[in-house]
């Protein structure tokens, strides 16, 4: 430990102010190769890290090459090796979905009920990320989702119980970090009880301090106890925590007063993206970058626009040169950042794939084949996209499928001709970014041997498709109907709800499978057979299909309250 401290101190002493400011910026870019604008950015500015989105991903092999290329540019430019970050939460929020063992999302994992599964899912995901040169994951989500109208968290949360979110979150942090990935607990101090998406506007949470302490902060205290490497701040205003109308990201009272001093957190504080409307519209991305550092942030995340990234860099330099921010304050953050880069092996970046594989194999056992506490004894080689890891994902997914009600005793489905309607996944928040909408519940049921009339309808075309869907349901040979909804429980009456109301009037047995939000049932109180799947990835479709026809039992338990019989 002392050797690491000495090395960090030595490195800090060799850095110019530009080098230090660069370490405090983490930037996104457009493209899939280490060239063009991102190459220019890395050559001209000694930035500390890069964040990947789906726009940067073609395949795991391409991501591995991209990571190596970006690190090489930083190295040739004389810069500190990069954080390479990503939002790989699992389930519906994942930037890499092919060529890996994509794990279910957090609410599905919570519904499956095993904290050990949460650990294993994170550890497998972490090893796969590490094999692609990624060393920081913006996960897990530690927001306690206790607002049915939350448009941005929902199934990204482990649920409405602060105890469960804390327990599952701590296990997930351990899984990622035992795989050598810097985990990031988000969105401090809690984005769960809001009906506003901070990508679009500034949410306000008006709970008193006692309630925030009891509910919202509980998972973050557990994350601190688990030694989480990083915390991501929420662009939310908490009047009980901040006297001025400032979002947490810009609040010295919250980031420094509460998180650092009161809760004793010593890890990295990273902002959520400063181009989100909650910041950009109300404060301006560049001005807010300076305010965030004043508040106590170590990393300013600017995910999209190169011009804003460069302007923020210059603004931070000017803030120090003018005396607005002391260089001592900058040194505090950079010391912390270098320390955690050393902790995660970023400063000792391996130069070839063989070294990476050797590191991965030294990290510990494959969580399927050996006990997870036998950390140093594994001889099982790590393989990305390993069938064993896919089996872990499948097992968790199958355990998560939840039968909420079956008052008409429709399940398992009869082996008869069935109309199956799938409402296609749609991007409801920038957090989703993009979704694969090709899989249908009908195809999954057909693969299980059910005779199916298969319809897939984009969410925004449900209204104009209603007449045709009712006509298909009226056919004499259709004896039962299954519809997979996608966020049908919006604040206003959704066309999906209207469609289901019309279909119910036909008098044929009808089952609803919620392929994202389990809260859909709150808008569909008359539905007699209701299943919660928590996501619409192909794996979840297969799991729902198996449960519907009785090949597997319904083992999941709702992580949120629906107040249903």
């Amino acid at each position: 430990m002392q050797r690491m401290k000495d090395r960090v101190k030595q490195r800090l002493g060799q850095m110019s102010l530009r080098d230090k400011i660069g370490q405090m910026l983490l930037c996104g870019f457009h493209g899939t190769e280490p060239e063009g604008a991102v190459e220019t950015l890395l050559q001209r500015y000694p930035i500390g890290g890069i964040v990947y989105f789906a726009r940067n991903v073609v395949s795991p092999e391409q991501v591995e090459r991209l990571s190596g290329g970006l690190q090489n540019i930083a190295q040739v430019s004389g810069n500190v090796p990069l954080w390479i970050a990503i939002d790989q939460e699992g389930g519906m929020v994942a930037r890499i979905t092919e060529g890996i063992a994509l794990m279910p999302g957090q609410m599905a994992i919570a519904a499956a009920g095993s904290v050990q599964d949460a650990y294993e899912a994170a550890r497998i995901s972490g090893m796969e990320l590490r094999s692609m040169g990624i060393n920081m994951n913006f996960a897990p989500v530690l927001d306690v989702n206790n607002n049915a109208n939350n448009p941005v968290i929902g199934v990204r949360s482990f649920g409405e119980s602060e105890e469960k979110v804390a327990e599952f979150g701590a296990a997930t942090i351990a899984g990622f970090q035992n795989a050598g990935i810097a985990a990031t607990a988000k969105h401090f101090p809690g984005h769960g009880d809001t009906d506003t998406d901070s990508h679009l506007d500034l949410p306000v949470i008006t709970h008193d301090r006692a309630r925030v302490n009891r509910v919202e902060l509980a998972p973050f205290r557990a994350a601190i106890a688990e030694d989480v490497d990083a915390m991501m701040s929420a662009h939310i205003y908490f009047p009980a925590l901040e006297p001025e109308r400032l979002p947490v990201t810009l609040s010295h009272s919250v980031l420094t007063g509460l998180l650092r001093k009161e809760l004793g957190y010593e890890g990295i504080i990273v902002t959520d993206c400063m181009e989100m409307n909650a910041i950009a519209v109300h404060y301006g991305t560049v001005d807010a970058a300076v305010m965030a550092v004043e508040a106590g942030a170590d990393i300013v995340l600017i995910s999209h626009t190169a011009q804003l990234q460069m302007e923020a860099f210059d603004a931070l330099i000017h803030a120090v040169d003018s005396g607005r921010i002391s260089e001592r304050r900058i040194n505090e953050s950079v010391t912390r950042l270098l320390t955690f880069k050393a902790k995660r092996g970023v400063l000792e970046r391996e130069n070839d794939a063989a070294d990476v594989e050797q590191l991965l194999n030294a990290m510990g056992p494959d969580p399927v084949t050996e006990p997870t506490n036998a950390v140093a004894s594994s001889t099982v080689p790590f393989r990305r996209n390993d069938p064993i890891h896919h089996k872990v994902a499948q097992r968790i997914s199958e355990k998560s499928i939840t039968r909420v009600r079956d008052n008409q005793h429709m399940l398992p489905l009869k082996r008869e001709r069935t109309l199956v309607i799938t409402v296609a996944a749609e991007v409801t928040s920038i957090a989703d970014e993009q979704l694969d909408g090709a899989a249908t519940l009908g195809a999954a049921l057909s693969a299980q041997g059910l005779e199916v009339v298969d319809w897939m309808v984009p969410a925004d075309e449900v209204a104009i498709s209603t007449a045709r869907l009712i006509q298909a349901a009226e056919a004499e040979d259709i004896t039962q109907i299954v519809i997979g909804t996608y966020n049908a429980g919006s604040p206003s009456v959704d066309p999906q709800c209207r469609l289901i109301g019309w279909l119910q009037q036909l008098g044929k047995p009808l089952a609803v499978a919620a392929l994202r939000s389990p809260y859909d049932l709150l808008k569909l109180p008359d539905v007699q057979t209701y299943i919660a799947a928590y996501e619409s990835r192909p794996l979840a479709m297969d799991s729902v299909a198996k449960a519907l026809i009785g090949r597997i039992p319904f083992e999941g338990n709702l992580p949120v309250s629906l107040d249903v019989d």
Side-chain angles (χ1 to χ4, degrees), residues 108-397:
I109 290 174
S114 168
V115 175
Q116 181 64 27
D117 282 346
Y119 173 87
E120 291 185 0
R123 190 166 186 276
I124 290 168
S125 295
M127 290 191 293
E128 292 197 314
L129 293 176
R130 185 81 188 211
S131 77
M132 292 178 265
I134 296 166
N135 47 42
M136 175 179 279
N137 193 13
F138 292 149
V141 172
L142 295 190
D143 306 312
V144 180
N145 198 92
N146 42 29
N147 189 323
N149 293 321
N150 194 317
V152 65
I153 302 302
V155 296
R156 299 167 64 197
S157 167
F158 287 114
E160 69 181 13
S161 161
E162 61 269 24
E163 292 87 357
K164 178 172 281 189
V165 173
E167 185 180 18
F168 278 74
T172 301
I173 290 165
F176 283 129
Q177 296 192 167
N178 285 350
I181 297 290
T184 309
K186 62 184 185 184
H187 307 80
F188 180 85
H191 203 317
D193 197 2
T194 174
D195 57 7
T196 302
D197 182 351
S198 54
H199 293 90
L200 306 178
D201 204 350
L202 177 62
V204 179
I205 293 181
T206 58
H207 295 306
D208 62 26
R209 179 62 187 269
R211 149 65 195 251
V212 174
N213 283 342
R214 185 179 73 256
V215 178
E216 276 75 17
L217 290 181
F220 294 99
R221 284 195 292 267
I224 293 170
E226 193 60 47
D227 291 328
V228 67
D229 282 8
M231 289 262 197
M232 178 176 283
S233 63
H235 299 330
I236 297 179
Y237 171 45
F238 283 77
L241 305 178
E242 168 56 59
E244 299 183 38
R245 188 178 175 83
L246 287 172
V248 167
T249 296
L250 309 183
S251 170
H252 188 274
S253 297
V254 181
L255 295 191
T256 298
L258 174 59
L259 183 53
R260 288 282 185 224
K261 295 181 179 179
E262 185 174 334
L263 298 182
Y265 182 58
E266 298 180 352
I268 298 166
I269 298 176
V270 56
T271 73
D272 208 341
C273 179
M274 302 296 279
E275 293 185 70
M276 290 163 59
N277 284 359
I279 296 294
V281 170
H282 297 276
Y283 306 94
T285 297
V286 173
D287 289 343
V290 177
M291 295 171 68
V293 173
E294 288 181 307
D298 301 305
I299 294 178
V300 176
L301 175 62
I302 304 177
S303 301
H304 306 290
T305 308
Q307 185 63 34
L308 292 175
Q309 293 160 0
M310 294 183 286
E311 290 178 9
F313 180 93
D314 292 338
L316 286 166
I317 291 285
H318 178 71
V320 177
D321 286 343
S322 67
R324 177 176 173 179
I325 298 176
S326 70
E327 190 161 358
R328 179 181 178 182
R329 163 71 191 87
I330 299 300
N331 288 344
E332 290 174 358
S333 284
V334 177
T335 299
R336 189 175 292 116
L337 293 169
L338 293 176
T339 298
F340 277 86
K341 281 188 172 181
K343 176 182 178 181
R344 292 295 159 212
V346 179
L347 295 185
E348 300 292 345
R349 187 179 68 87
E350 292 76 17
N351 291 319
D352 58 64
D355 288 339
V356 172
E357 183 176 359
Q358 183 179 8
L359 174 64
L360 288 166
N361 292 337
M363 283 179 184
D366 186 303
V368 181
T369 57
E370 296 187 44
T372 55
N373 58 2
V375 173
S377 62
S378 176
T379 59
V380 179
F382 169 77
R383 292 185 298 168
R384 189 165 60 216
N385 205 23
D386 193 319
I388 295 176
H389 298 159
H390 282 277
K391 288 181 180 178
V392 174
Q394 178 183 343
R395 173 172 56 77
I396 297 170
S397 177

Side-chain angles (χ1 to χ4, degrees), residues 13-31:
Q14 297 168 346
M15 297 172 74
S16 67
L17 177 61
R18 290 187 84 258
D19 294 332
K20 295 172 186 176
I21 295 296
Q23 283 303 294
M24 299 180 71
L25 288 175
L26 202 151
C27 303
F29 70 101
H30 295 262

Side-chain angles (χ1 to χ4, degrees), residues 477-524:
D477 59 348
I478 295 295
T479 63
Q480 55 191 358
I481 303 167
V482 177
I483 179 166
T485 59
Y486 195 85
N487 285 338
S490 57
S492 59
V493 177
D494 190 276
Q496 296 176 60
C497 299
R498 293 194 183 98
L499 169 62
I500 290 168
W502 284 107
L503 292 173
Q504 285 177 306
Q505 293 185 27
L506 299 179
K508 298 181 180 183
L510 181 145
V512 171
L515 299 179
R516 182 152 182 166
S517 173
Y519 295 114
D520 286 2
L521 184 60
L522 298 179
K523 295 293 182 177
L524 300 165

